[in-house]
Amino acid sequence: MKRRILIIGGGIGGLAAGAALGQQGIDTTVVEIQSENLVAGVGINIPGNALRALRQLGLLDEVLAHGFTFDRVDFHDSASRLLLALRSKLGVDGVPANCAIQRKDLARILEKACVDVGTTIRYGTSVEKMTTTADGGVETLLTDGSTEHYDLVVAFDGIRSSFRKAALGIEPRFTGYSVWRVALERHPDVTRNMYFQGMGTKAGLFPLNTDVMYLLHVTPEPGNPRHAREDFHGHLTQRLAGYTGLIGELRDRIQPDDDIVYAPIEEVLLPLPWYQDGLLLLGDAAHAMAPHRTQGAAMAIEDAAVLGETLGRDGDLRELLAEFQDRRFGRAKIAQDASRNILLSEMNTTDQASLDRQLDFIRNGLEAVAHQVDDALNQPI
Ligand SMILES: Cc1cc2nc3c(=O)[nH]c(=O)nc-3n(C[C@H](O)[C@H](O)[C@H](O)COP(=O)(O)OP(=O)(O)OC[C@H]3O[C@@H](n4cnc5c(N)ncnc54)[C@H](O)[C@@H]3O)c2cc1C
């Protein structure tokens, strides 16, 4: 009989899974708590491994058409002196190494892909109650009062997943660092991802399309303070005070009414099993990570592609899900560990001696470490 699957959360992972499962002929519904496809955040980089997963879903060309592709990441000091031009090894097998894109463009592409394969998206809706049934499925009461039976519920409800919290009591772990982001008119020199190592902080630039780029700044925020939105401009420009060169120039262009986004950097790594009592946790709900390898959404997209491929096969659902989670856990951990290692080595630069060591590592050691992770991510998903 045709499987019926409910996805909770219409973010990047949930919509990608809605498309992937729908493509396999699975009767799929996505419930999204927000009343429409509202996308928070600025832009996102999609690395080669996730571009290959998007190709599996037939979405590569459309994503590339809306994004900005590049295969080089340049590392500088805080005065914009180039330390390393790093060529990514992720651009193999016919995809570019990276494609940065505006989040709203990616959301529209994924939403259309769901609609095209008959996946239903119900905005302004969530799950109020779930009860496991004797057949291993789940009886759900939705917030609109309807009740439905599904073979499986997949929670792609993000880093603050209330379904993870209710089932397992697990909260995200704050790393001690946060990231500030703002979209700006693209500077002509920004044709690739660029990073700038400061003392105890790091700035970065991502081109998003020919007109727009975003600036990011990673800073220590002990105690995870809640800054007032009206203070964002002052905090960000003050924290960028030590930078000269390109970042100094761009800092002086940021306006008080620019839409600055501030986010604490947090992690979740759910131990196995990710599947229990009819509920599977995926995406940031299962494996949120520091953004330093731009792999958070990439792993959610990979989850979606592998889930579609696995559940499109006949067989016992529990056995298929056991195989699925074993395939996904190790990969998510590689991406998460690599991202955390970069974050900690960049932030552990609080005096001149440690900063000099980091600059030396960028010049002489970073490429080998980055390529080792690229090789791991280039393995089949
Ligand atoms: C600063 C920063 C930069 C990043 N840059 C990158 C990058 O360049 N590349 C990359 O790959 N990743 C990046 N990431 C990570 C990426 O944003 C996440 O990993 C990705 O969004 C996770 O997708 P998701 O679908 O699991 O969760 P989300 O995209 O967070 O979606 C969760 C969805 O669930 C909905 N929801 C929540 N609760 C409920 C409920 N009860 N019922 C129904 N719906 C619900 C939410 O409204 C939301 O739409 C970055 C993250 C940060 C913080």
Side-chain angles (χ1 to χ4, degrees), residues 8-14 31-34 43-47 103 125-127 156-159 162-163 179 181 214 263 282-285 291 294-298 300:
I8 305 173
I12 296 171
V31 287
E32 165 55 51
I33 204 162
Q34 297 188 86
I44 191 156
N45 179 50
I46 309 176
R103 281 184 185 249
T125 310
S126 185
V127 175
F156 263 109
D157 57 337
I159 190 165
S162 55
F163 290 88
V179 56
R181 285 172 295 164
Y214 83 81
L282 287 181
D284 271 9
T294 64
Q295 284 289 338

Side-chain angles (χ1 to χ4, degrees), residues 97-152:
N98 295 284
C99 177
I101 187 168
Q102 299 204 63
R103 281 184 185 249
K104 62 180 169 35
D105 288 337
L106 179 61
R108 269 195 226 106
I109 292 168
L110 294 173
E111 184 182 49
K112 181 173 177 298
C114 285
V115 173
D116 286 350
V117 292
T119 290
T120 306
I121 306 173
R122 292 166 74 167
Y123 287 105
T125 310
S126 185
V127 175
E128 200 156 296
K129 196 171 165 210
M130 293 195 292
T131 318
T132 43
T133 52
D135 61 356
V138 186
E139 194 71 27
T140 59
L141 169 63
L142 302 187
T143 49
D144 61 8
S146 58
T147 55
E148 300 276 352
H149 179 271
Y150 293 97
D151 299 304
L152 173 69

